[in-house]
Amino acid sequence: MNKNIKESFEKTRIAGSIAAGALDEVSKIIKPGISTGEIDNLCYEFINDHGAYSAPLFYRGFPKSCCTSANHVVCHGIPSDKILDEGDILNVDVTAYKNGWHGDTSRMFEIGEISIKAKKLIETTYEAMMKAIKILKEDVQLGDIGSTIQQHVESKGCSVVQDFCGHGIGQTFHKEPTILHYGKKETGEKIKEGMIFTIEPMINLGNYETKTLNDGWTAVTKDKSLSAQFEHTVGITKDGYEIFTQSKN
């Protein structure tokens, strides 16, 4: 591994570990009756206390430090005084920016007892992300990532959102390559050692179509079906991959 790759991995590892730590803290407080604004405050303070900055805050005008997407919200939900109820599911998406590098991750949380359907959706989404990560190594094509996710998700009767994707990340929050979560095997660019990007499938119980609300951010399922998402920042090594945003729990 050359010096530049080694340094980029070391810095992403630090930022990724802070982002994952923020979500570990969320898992300690999340319960019915809490507001998404309280979750945002916790993430902001945790990231700040670790000498990092919440990258979403003011990014292209986004008003908060993290995204909180509940139930049929696909992504980019804006934290507010909205109270979480028993049976809700929630994605919390955080990105820490430290020493000029980003670590981006998201996780699903169950609020109290949730439905069997919701549990199945969350499991399917996590499995799809991990299946895609496990194929990563030099010369795997980007289409293989999308194909792996799509095959697994559709075999479980769910659908893959096509309006949003994973992305390259590093000193810039979003850059090339674009990581689609659907696609055909053996198509697209070959991945190389040193590449850093996110895999972040958004999976719906119903149709894959989405729409964005009038706030310009909140994306929801058109058919109001539940949606789930997980996200890791990963780096490509000579013989495989490293996940930079693993939970310490």
Side-chain angles (χ1 to χ4, degrees):
M1 190 178 276
N2 76 32
K3 190 167 166 259
N4 286 350
I5 294 175
K6 205 172 168 197
E7 186 189 356
S8 67
F9 275 36
E10 277 169 9
K11 291 194 166 167
T12 306
R13 200 175 290 129
I14 292 164
S17 130
I18 294 168
L23 293 183
D24 289 344
E25 290 302 304
V26 170
S27 70
K28 294 175 187 173
I29 67 156
I30 204 154
K31 61 181 182 187
I34 198 170
S35 74
T36 54
E38 287 172 79
I39 292 166
D40 181 68
N41 288 338
L42 175 76
C43 291
Y44 173 81
E45 283 169 15
F46 181 88
I47 289 169
N48 207 38
D49 288 348
H50 286 77
Y53 181 77
S54 292
L57 187 58
F58 309 131
Y59 178 76
R60 295 184 181 165
F62 190 78
K64 296 290 182 175
S65 294
C66 67
C67 300
T68 51
S69 304
N71 301 326
H72 72 292
V73 179
V74 174
C75 60
H76 304 153
I78 301 172
S80 66
D81 53 11
K82 174 188 161 56
I83 298 293
L84 296 169
D85 294 324
E86 181 87 18
D88 285 344
I89 61 172
L90 182 76
N91 177 273
V92 181
D93 188 338
V94 296
T95 306
Y97 180 67
K98 168 101 174 170
N99 299 329
W101 290 77
H102 292 82
D104 188 1
T105 184
S106 86
R107 209 179 290 171
M108 292 303 297
F109 295 93
E110 302 176 8
I111 315 305
E113 280 296 311
I114 64 168
S115 70
I116 290 165
K117 270 187 179 175
K119 264 192 197 299
K120 177 194 151 193
L121 174 66
I122 290 172
E123 276 166 22
T124 299
T125 307
Y126 183 76
E127 288 163 1
M129 175 184 69
M130 292 311 297
K131 277 177 183 286
I133 290 173
K134 281 172 182 162
I135 67 163
L136 296 177
K137 59 181 181 186
E138 274 214 304
D139 294 332
V140 163
Q141 287 173 269
L142 289 179
D144 291 14
I145 295 171
S147 167
T148 299
I149 290 168
Q150 187 173 16
Q151 280 184 349
H152 180 69
V153 166
E154 290 179 355
S155 78
K156 302 287 187 178
C158 299
S159 66
V160 180
V161 169
Q162 299 187 7
D163 296 332
F164 302 95
C165 54
H167 52 89
I169 191 168
Q171 289 170 293
T172 308
F173 194 173
H174 296 94
K175 61 178 193 172
E176 293 298 315
T178 294
I179 310 295
L180 299 179
H181 301 118
Y182 61 96
K184 291 198 174 101
K185 273 198 191 319
E186 293 171 17
T187 62
E189 183 186 344
K190 288 186 173 177
I191 60 180
K192 296 292 173 201
E193 182 187 13
M195 285 174 101
I196 300 173
F197 51 83
T198 69
I199 296 182
E200 48 179 301
M202 284 147 263
I203 308 303
N204 298 346
L205 259 184
N207 191 282
Y208 67 85
E209 292 178 315
T210 72
K211 64 177 182 182
T212 300
L213 301 184
N214 292 337
D215 61 23
W217 285 104
T218 309
V220 298
T221 54
K222 267 195 180 169
D223 62 6
K224 296 209 164 63
S225 65
L226 289 178
S227 188
Q229 180 189 20
F230 282 91
E231 173 181 19
H232 272 317
T233 298
V234 297
I236 305 305
T237 61
K238 201 82 197 142
D239 49 6
Y241 61 87
E242 178 177 347
I243 300 174
F244 296 118
T245 46
Q246 286 277 40
S247 168
K248 293 181 190 68
N249 289 351

